[in-house]
Amino acid sequence: KFLMSRYTIIVAATKANGIGAKGRLPWRLSKEMKYFAQVTSAAPEGKQNVVVMGRTTWESIPKKFRPLPKRSNVVISRNREYDLAGKRRGTTDGSTVLKDNLKTGLSVLDANPTTLHRGFIIGGATLYSESLAFPLSPTDPCVDRVLLTRILSPDFHECDVFMPDFLKEGTTGPTEWKRSSHAALQEWVGFEVPEGEQEENGVKYEFQMWVRSV
Ligand code: FOL
């Protein structure tokens, strides 16, 4: 194989890059969550996207929502005996596989190009850090896009997990991240997205897309 697929990180983060507190999301933003569901579910007829997540993120998703429906769920855990089956809801909607590292987790997409569409890394801190690190070899999978929902206010000081500051020079390799226009964001996701500052429950946020050429 001479080119591995490219992956997209999707994340909601405060200005200090806080993403979670006490094993859950620090906020409850239903429209923002709908955006997450719509972006990660949108695929051509007959295809599904892959959502790759760490074991802690899997456990943070309410049982009634996991596996995330209409998406192929991949959970990463070093524990090959991790009991996914015992912890998933009893329906046939959605599918879930366990992989023991990010590289093999992402290989699911390359292995099934006719049934799978896009690959999303949905967290948490460990997978965001690993996947933002520049690929060690040209045959390694890599992240070239971040769909960032920037939580503008309040600060959510209770956050106890953070994503790396991918916009700070040198933290995610030698390449430069550039912010896309709102039109480019909408074109990529394939539906209309509200532009500028949004507000829900007193929380202000903005939908952004960042890309790098790799
Ligand atoms: N990215 C963004 N932009 N916002 C997030 O909240 C987010 N959350 C995670 C990863 N990336 C994100 C990880 N945490 C669900 C819950 C927690 C979670 C991810 C997903 C979840 O229950 N999702 C349902 C939506 C249910 C609803 O509509 O309320 C889904 O079907 O996607």
Side-chain angles (χ1 to χ4, degrees), residues 10-13 19 25 27-30 32-38 40-41 57 60-62 64-69 71 121-123 128 147-149 207:
I10 185 162
V11 64
I19 59 172
L25 295 170
W27 42 77
R28 208 195 64 80
L29 302 170
S30 58
E32 206 291 314
M33 188 52 88
K34 290 273 180 302
Y35 171 81
F36 168 88
Q38 199 179 349
T40 55
S41 302
T57 296
S60 81
I61 298 174
K64 63 175 187 234
F65 290 125
R66 71 191 199 210
L68 296 176
R71 285 150 283 182
I121 294 165
I122 70 162
Y128 289 145
L147 293 177
L148 170 67
T149 300
F207 297 115

Side-chain angles (χ1 to χ4, degrees), residues 187-199:
E187 189 170 349
W188 193 82
V189 301
F191 57 87
E192 276 187 39
V193 177
E195 184 172 9
E197 194 173 287
Q198 308 298 307
E199 183 167 352

